[in-house]
Amino acid sequence: MRQYETTFVVDAHLPDEQIEKTIDKFIKVWESSKAKVHNIPRWGKRRLAYEIARKQFGYYVYIRYEGEETFVKELEREYKLDESILRYLTILVSKAELKEESRLRAK
């Protein structure tokens, strides 16, 4: 299993209950899979660098997890199908970064 980082942006113009419902939906996707979630900091409502679908604000959520490549593809498919998700980005954490993190933790 490899480590990934995903950041997704939920439409901040939705009611707070709908934002939480959307975030919880994706947390359940991680829990139902074999992915191991390391942390889920919620960055909150922030101004977008540029408008997306005439929206100026988004609610940012960052997730770091271990999973299979097939799970990442399934997750991104779910993002595309959910209309409340404005943008998402998933990246593979490099081995060099993992080594650096473990070295810093050892100090």
Side-chain angles (χ1 to χ4, degrees), residues 10-12 24 35-36 38 42 46 49-50 64 70 80 83 88 96 99 103-104 106:
V10 182
D11 182 1
D24 290 340
K36 179 183 174 189
H38 293 283
R42 296 176 185 207
R46 296 181 182 216
Y50 54 90
R64 182 124 181 220
T70 56
K80 288 178 187 176
E83 293 179 5
Y88 62 90
K99 285 181 185 178
R103 185 183 67 78
L104 291 173

Side-chain angles (χ1 to χ4, degrees), residues 47-103:
R47 185 173 190 83
L48 300 171
Y50 54 90
E51 285 188 11
I52 301 172
R54 298 186 184 193
K55 307 284 192 298
Q56 294 180 342
F57 291 91
Y59 191 95
Y60 286 75
V61 180
Y62 167 84
I63 299 178
R64 182 124 181 220
Y65 60 95
E66 289 180 46
E68 299 293 330
E69 185 178 351
T70 56
F71 171 69
V72 175
K73 290 179 181 179
E74 175 188 328
L75 182 64
E76 290 185 347
R77 181 181 171 279
E78 290 292 326
Y79 286 140
K80 288 178 187 176
L81 295 175
D82 194 326
E83 293 179 5
S84 61
I85 301 294
L86 298 176
R87 287 283 189 270
Y88 62 90
L89 177 67
T90 302
I91 61 169
L92 176 65
V93 179
S94 69
K95 291 181 181 179
E97 187 175 342
L98 292 172
K99 285 181 185 178
E100 181 66 19
E101 286 177 3
S102 64
R103 185 183 67 78

